[in-house]
Amino acid sequence: MRVLASAPAKIILFGEHSVVYGKPAIAAAIDLRTYVRAEFNSNGAIKIEAKDIRVPGLTVSFSEDEIYFESDYGKAAEVLSYVRQAIELVREEAGKDKGVTVSITSQIPVGAGLGSSAAVAVATIGAVSRLFGLELTNEEIGKLGHRVELLVQGASSGIDPTVSAIGGFIHYEKGNFEHLPFMELPIVVGYTGSSGSTKELVAMVRKTYEEMPEVIDPLLVAMGKIVEKAKEFIISDLDEELRLVQLGRLMNINHGLLDALGVSTKKLSELVYAARVAGAIGAKITGAGGGGCMYALAPENQSEVATAITIAGGTPMITRISREGLRIEEVLP
Ligand code: PMV
């Protein structure tokens, strides 16, 4: 038997960083997917074939008379530890230790803040649990994905595997998730090509907060209010066009506040402004910042915005919110 499953990437629409201070956040699944094919093997081992996992390429630095090559094999190895942990967890749940071979291909760049690790964990759990004949709901698979993150990373809010497993929009506050009604958001994600360290950026914001709470606290409060306002627009029955315009305005305000916290970079801001100039109705950082990705809301002109992002030196990905989370694509006998 062979099972092919896929799970989507995520973006944080509103509320990154302020969420660390107990404020709410909204995240959504997007139509970039990781595909995992699973089948039993006869030697009892776990075998992982990473066919294409979108690890960013090689960095070459030149000094006086030496050339340094750095590659991101560390990142690839990290992805594989999520896959291995996911398989072991499912084998534990099934109470069987049969050998499993998984083969992975992905549209989601690794280390870009788009939840590639959660997507690979969720797709692996989906494919392997079906292979073992376990009947798990997508919610249950999201919870197992959270356990994988805890085992691999030590700490995690669980927002990434939850969004990846159940799809659509999620409102998150102090550990509680709520599925928001679906709406179409025509977006363009712009990848800077480098990744920021979420851990270091969170620590940097914390330091500024501790040094001048009277300045930083009002910014975080405003970010929390942006999220509540965005939720109001998402669930309102206002005309679609009006809702998009209002969400775009909130994105721009949220970006300004993230910039004020110090998590933007020259490249991120250039991509944000390039997208706005090309007609996006809103553009902001998504995720921790310091590199990684921005996203733009572009109902009329996704391809113009994508071109502007390319010209500004980023990699555009035209995508939509994915209503579906984990999907079983194919089951072959
Ligand atoms: O790097 P990402 O996309 O996983 O986003 C991190 C979001 C933060 O709010 C900055 C950190 C967190 O733990 O919520």
Side-chain angles (χ1 to χ4, degrees), residues 286-297:
T286 179
C293 291
M294 49 69 74
Y295 82 99
L297 190 56

Side-chain angles (χ1 to χ4, degrees), residues 6 8 13 16 37 87-88 141 144 151 158 164 167 184 187 191 200 206 211 213 227 234 247 256 299 313 321 330:
S6 74
L13 292 169
E16 49 277 269
R37 189 181 294 284
I87 299 174
E88 285 186 347
I141 290 174
L144 286 178
L151 286 164
S164 186
E184 289 289 348
I187 57 181
Y191 177 35
E200 281 167 25
R206 170 72 61 189
E211 282 167 8
V227 174
I234 291 171
L247 288 173
I321 304 300
E330 190 180 84

Side-chain angles (χ1 to χ4, degrees), residues 138-160:
N138 282 9
E139 271 95 318
E140 287 167 335
I141 290 174
K143 289 203 178 108
L144 286 178
H146 187 200
R147 272 175 62 196
V148 170
E149 283 198 336
L150 292 173
L151 286 164
V152 179
Q153 312 165 182
S156 137
S157 67
I159 194 166
D160 285 16

Side-chain angles (χ1 to χ4, degrees), residues 94-178:
K96 293 178 191 150
D97 58 0
K98 284 173 97 168
V100 177
T101 300
V102 298
S103 146
I104 307 157
T105 52
S106 185
Q107 303 164 338
I108 312 170
V110 169
L114 297 178
S116 60
S117 313
V120 83
V122 166
T124 304
I125 297 168
V128 179
S129 62
R130 177 62 78 92
L131 194 66
F132 277 99
L134 294 176
E135 304 269 333
L136 300 175
T137 62
N138 282 9
E139 271 95 318
E140 287 167 335
I141 290 174
K143 289 203 178 108
L144 286 178
H146 187 200
R147 272 175 62 196
V148 170
E149 283 198 336
L150 292 173
L151 286 164
V152 179
Q153 312 165 182
S156 137
S157 67
I159 194 166
D160 285 16
T162 304
V163 178
S164 186
I166 69 177
F169 291 87
I170 286 198
H171 180 268
Y172 173 86
E173 188 166 14
K174 299 194 176 106
N176 297 314
F177 302 104
E178 177 196 358

Side-chain angles (χ1 to χ4, degrees), residues 39-47 98-101:
E39 59 195 316
F40 289 124
N41 63 42
S42 53
N43 56 15
I46 290 177
K47 185 173 169 207
K98 284 173 97 168
V100 177
T101 300

